[in-house]
């Protein structure tokens, strides 16, 4: 399996308002899911072999709420699917790459993920994800 774009994460004030454009385009929008650890509610919109992830804060102290307060709605992160997340994270740590958290977490859909700090990725928040075997596209 090669590296690929898994999804683009978009911070929104309202899922209901944000997902309407995708529905009007005739795209299928997933059921809402809440990731309690990240304090977000989200939907996924499959587009080709990638997805758009719409993220709405569930608390004022969440990363998404702070992002919107500072920058407004818009592109929050780019997510790449990697073949072996643990090996990729180990290599990045060895190479001195700064991660947002040194711990691999489990998020929406059972996917394992970690974020690369924007200081190590040209100002872009980069998420690396590996699906659980039951949730691969």
């Amino acid at each position: 399996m090669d590296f690929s774009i898994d999804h683009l994460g978009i911070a929104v004030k309202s899922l209901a308002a944000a997902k309407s454009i995708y529905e009007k385009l005739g795209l299928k929008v997933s059921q809402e899911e809440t990731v309690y650890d990240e304090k977000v509610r989200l939907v996924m919109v499959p587009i080709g072999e990638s997805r758009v992830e719409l993220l709405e804060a569930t608390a004022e102290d969440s990363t998404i709420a702070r992002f919107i307060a500072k920058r407004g709605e818009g592109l929050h992160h780019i997510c790449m699917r990697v073949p072996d997340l643990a090996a990729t994270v180990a290599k990045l740590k060895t190479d001195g790459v700064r991660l947002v958290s040194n711990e691999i977490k489990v998020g929406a859909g059972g996917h394992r993920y970690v974020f690369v700090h924007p200081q190590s990725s040209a100002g872009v928040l980069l998420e690396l994800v590996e699906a659980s075997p039951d949730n691969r596209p």
Side-chain angles (χ1 to χ4, degrees):
M1 176 183 182
D2 294 323
F3 284 69
S4 61
I5 298 295
D6 184 81
H7 67 266
L8 303 175
I10 301 174
V12 302
K13 292 178 183 176
S14 164
L15 280 181
K19 69 183 181 180
S20 71
I21 184 61
Y22 299 98
E23 292 168 334
K24 289 174 184 174
L25 288 168
L27 296 169
K28 184 176 172 118
V29 176
S30 74
Q31 293 291 325
E32 289 184 13
E33 182 175 351
T34 301
V35 180
Y36 295 98
D37 289 346
E38 298 290 340
K39 300 179 186 175
V40 297
R41 187 171 23 260
L42 63 93
V43 295
M44 291 288 195
V45 183
I47 302 174
E49 295 185 16
S50 293
R51 301 174 294 171
V52 169
E53 178 185 45
L54 303 175
L55 299 151
E56 174 189 83
T58 60
E60 299 218 4
D61 65 340
S62 74
T63 301
I64 294 301
R66 289 192 308 268
F67 179 89
I68 290 173
K70 186 173 182 180
R71 296 179 183 88
E73 294 179 294
L75 184 63
H76 179 260
H77 67 271
I78 296 172
C79 179
M80 289 189 342
R81 181 175 298 279
V82 300
D84 182 338
L85 186 58
T88 302
V89 168
K91 180 176 181 345
L92 293 175
K93 286 180 181 179
T94 299
D95 291 344
V97 172
R98 183 175 174 195
L99 303 175
V100 172
S101 169
N102 286 318
E103 170 187 337
I104 294 174
K105 298 180 180 181
V106 177
H111 290 80
R112 295 169 9 104
Y113 71 95
V114 69
F115 281 97
V116 175
H117 196 281
Q119 288 180 338
S120 291
S121 52
V124 175
L125 181 60
L126 182 62
E127 181 181 9
L128 304 176
V129 68
E130 176 185 273
S132 65
D134 296 339
N135 292 322
R136 293 189 193 275

